[in-house]
Amino acid sequence: KKLFAKFPSLSSIANSPLSSIKSQLKSVNYYKTKSKNVKAAAQYLLKHHGGKIPNTMEELVKIPGVGRKTANLIINEIYKKPSITVDTHVHRISNVLGLVRTKTPHQTELALMKIAPRKYWSQINRLFVLWGKEIRGRDKKKLLEKLKED
């Protein structure tokens, strides 16, 4: 909110000094890196997409600071297309439960796409994050016991 109160448009972000963006994001973790990415992303979107946010994975991940997790979130929340947003919770829980056997979030995303009905893709992240927070710190045995209860 603080950032957009000071910089209400992409061009205002793109053309502002990095130090001004940093001062608005100072309360956020990794604010130095995020500030650089916010400025670079604004410049990129203006230059390559006329200030519009693209709607494909291929184009979204070209934006500075945007990886698959953020791209999937944009695809789902802005464009209302089914996608699986895999963060550390989804990756960890999917592997602990044995739904997938993967080493990276991207592998988890692809594996879940094969086994989860498409109509549930957009809900997986919210459900796993909430559930993961509830049972954080429990070992695998307790986690599986909790799953059986639920």
Side-chain angles (χ1 to χ4, degrees):
K1 288 181 180 181
K2 192 175 177 185
L3 178 72
F4 295 115
K6 182 162 182 163
F7 305 108
S9 68
L10 278 178
S11 29
S12 63
I13 294 171
N15 297 313
S16 71
L18 184 58
S19 59
S20 296
I21 296 170
K22 284 181 182 177
S23 69
Q24 300 305 305
L25 295 179
K26 205 163 196 158
S27 63
V28 177
N29 288 335
Y30 311 108
Y31 77 95
K32 291 177 184 176
T33 301
K34 288 180 181 177
S35 297
K36 288 177 192 172
N37 285 333
V38 164
K39 182 175 173 74
Q43 292 170 333
Y44 182 89
L45 288 170
L46 288 166
K47 181 178 179 180
H48 298 282
H49 295 283
K52 304 290 183 207
I53 298 172
N55 65 358
T56 66
M57 178 65 69
E58 296 73 29
E59 290 301 315
L60 286 165
V61 296
K62 292 178 185 176
I63 301 169
V66 175
R68 291 191 68 86
K69 178 182 92 170
T70 301
N72 273 313
L73 191 61
I74 290 167
I75 288 167
N76 180 266
E77 294 296 324
I78 294 175
Y79 294 106
K80 306 300 182 201
K81 295 180 184 176
S83 65
I84 300 176
T85 303
V86 178
D87 61 7
T88 55
H89 295 287
V90 173
H91 176 62
R92 179 177 50 86
I93 291 170
S94 296
N95 277 278
V96 167
L97 294 176
L99 298 174
V100 299
R101 297 275 185 247
T102 58
K103 295 194 184 297
T104 68
H106 185 206
Q107 290 172 348
T108 300
E109 175 191 340
L110 297 176
L112 287 173
M113 288 171 79
K114 291 178 183 175
I115 62 170
R118 190 176 181 91
K119 67 182 182 177
Y120 297 120
W121 287 5
S122 300
Q123 299 170 34
I124 288 172
N125 183 271
R126 282 188 194 97
L127 294 171
F128 278 36
V129 168
L130 289 172
W131 191 60
K133 286 180 179 181
E134 180 183 328
I135 54 170
R136 183 179 306 183
R138 298 181 186 182
D139 62 25
K140 185 175 179 179
K141 184 177 177 183
K142 289 181 182 176
L143 179 66
L144 292 172
E145 287 172 7
K146 178 66 177 165
L147 178 64
K148 288 177 186 173
E149 292 173 15
D150 290 349

